[in-house]
Amino acid sequence: MSGRPPARELPPPTIRTKDGWHCLHAYFQVQPGRHEIDRDRLLAALNPEAEHAPQRLQTFAVTGHRADLGVMTMDPDPLRLDAVLQEVRAAAGQALRPSYSFVSISEVSEYVPTVEQFAERLKREGMGEDSPGYKARVAGYEKRLPAMNVQRLTPEFPAMPAHCFYPMNKIRDPHANWYTLPFSKRSELMAEHATSGIKFAGRVSQLITASTGFDDWEWGVTLWARSPEDVKEIVYTMRFDAASANYAEFGPFYVGYVMPAEECLKHVRL
């Protein structure tokens, strides 16, 4: 008999957010050659229905040379997300090499207007406070806002096959410094930007997560789309908005196709 103490289950971590969820995008490259993997353990680590799985877990096959396999996870506990990566590492051994990751957290942006701010915007656009149209739009926004904020903080992953992720910053160029603009101007520019995105409702679903203090970029943008062309079209269209054309800096784009873990492993020949 060895003197090793019996294994014991560790208590659950207690590092949790107050409002939003931690988010982790992780990408892996399949390494050439024959490598032994614990396939059952790897599939268990990537199973969104497993007992200790994060609140959200999605796998996708990635196109291009940057990565082969992608994983997106979200949970109130950041260590639960890291545990997925540790299990993948342990199960895959040398067969999968981490190639990129992005750490962020969900939030309700400061540019999402309150009901009062939305009402003031309608007035500035020329709608009379006593008009039926004004009252209907304010009432409609007040009804939709709580559900929209829940989706921003604790989002459901949509059932769409195309997946795209990229990080971004707002630039600090001396001639176009986003952070020297007054809040009212920034809000105006972001409202224009949001209007462009609304045109893609039903075709594209977007999640913005904040990464200031967590990663090298300030935000992460995740897009799910019904087709790859929809990804191309929304990114192209929204780049003409002043908020992007004058003030945005984009990082690398990772495009993939959502599949269950077992199909992903077959696709990447593991």
Side-chain angles (χ1 to χ4, degrees):
M1 295 180 60
S2 71
R4 183 185 305 170
R8 65 185 180 87
E9 189 172 322
L10 295 175
T14 56
I15 303 173
R16 293 179 177 269
T17 55
K18 292 188 299 182
D19 298 311
W21 283 354
H22 290 271
C23 181
L24 178 63
H25 293 74
Y27 293 86
F28 302 87
Q29 289 178 329
V30 175
Q31 296 304 287
R34 298 182 65 86
H35 300 283
E36 290 188 7
I37 67 170
D38 187 335
R39 188 180 179 83
D40 289 340
R41 185 176 181 181
L42 184 55
L43 288 173
L46 298 175
N47 179 6
E49 304 300 326
E51 182 181 357
H52 298 294
Q55 293 290 327
R56 303 286 183 268
L57 190 158
Q58 190 172 69
T59 52
F60 34 94
V62 184
T63 60
H65 73 282
R66 292 192 179 115
D68 299 297
L69 173 68
V71 182
M72 180 179 177
T73 55
M74 296 188 75
D75 196 85
D77 185 346
L79 295 183
R80 194 174 294 275
L81 307 186
D82 189 65
V84 173
L85 296 195
Q86 298 302 331
E87 274 295 291
V88 169
R89 176 191 59 77
Q94 300 299 312
L96 288 175
R97 183 181 71 84
S99 59
Y100 184 71
S101 67
F102 192 84
V103 178
S104 58
I105 193 168
S106 63
E107 67 169 4
V108 175
S109 169
E110 61 183 327
Y111 304 115
V112 174
T114 64
V115 175
E116 293 74 20
Q117 290 169 334
F118 180 79
E120 288 301 316
R121 181 184 298 169
L122 294 181
K123 293 177 190 176
R124 291 195 300 271
E125 292 172 357
M127 295 193 73
E129 192 171 352
D130 295 326
S131 68
Y134 169 89
K135 293 179 180 178
R137 290 191 63 183
V138 171
Y141 185 76
E142 185 174 18
K143 185 176 180 180
R144 296 193 309 273
L145 185 59
M148 291 191 297
N149 285 342
V150 167
Q151 176 62 14
R152 291 180 176 107
L153 292 172
T154 59
E156 295 286 348
F157 289 175
M160 294 181 175
H163 186 282
C164 175
F165 171 78
Y166 60 93
M168 67 169 294
N169 287 334
K170 293 297 188 186
I171 65 174
R172 294 176 174 83
D173 186 277
H175 304 290
N177 189 329
W178 178 258
Y179 295 97
T180 62
L181 294 175
F183 179 79
S184 58
K185 181 62 177 178
R186 285 182 277 129
S187 294
E188 177 186 326
L189 292 173
M190 292 305 294
E192 176 198 27
H193 200 51
T195 300
S196 295
I198 289 172
K199 299 173 186 175
F200 293 87
R203 295 166 55 195
V204 180
S205 180
Q206 175 181 269
L207 175 66
I208 308 294
T209 49
S211 49
T212 301
F214 290 90
D215 218 300
D216 295 338
W217 298 79
E218 294 172 327
W219 290 278
V221 181
T222 306
L223 303 174
W224 292 268
R226 299 201 177 278
S227 75
E229 291 83 0
D230 292 329
V231 171
K232 171 182 170 291
E233 187 177 348
I234 191 173
V235 173
Y236 178 78
T237 299
M238 296 183 78
R239 283 192 176 193
F240 285 92
D241 298 336
S244 287
N246 295 331
Y247 299 102
E249 177 185 13
F250 299 91
F253 281 69
Y254 286 81
V255 176
Y257 298 93
V258 177
M259 304 176 190
E262 188 163 8
E263 289 183 30
C264 278
L265 297 188
K266 289 179 182 178
H267 181 81
V268 301
R269 311 301 192 265
L270 281 180

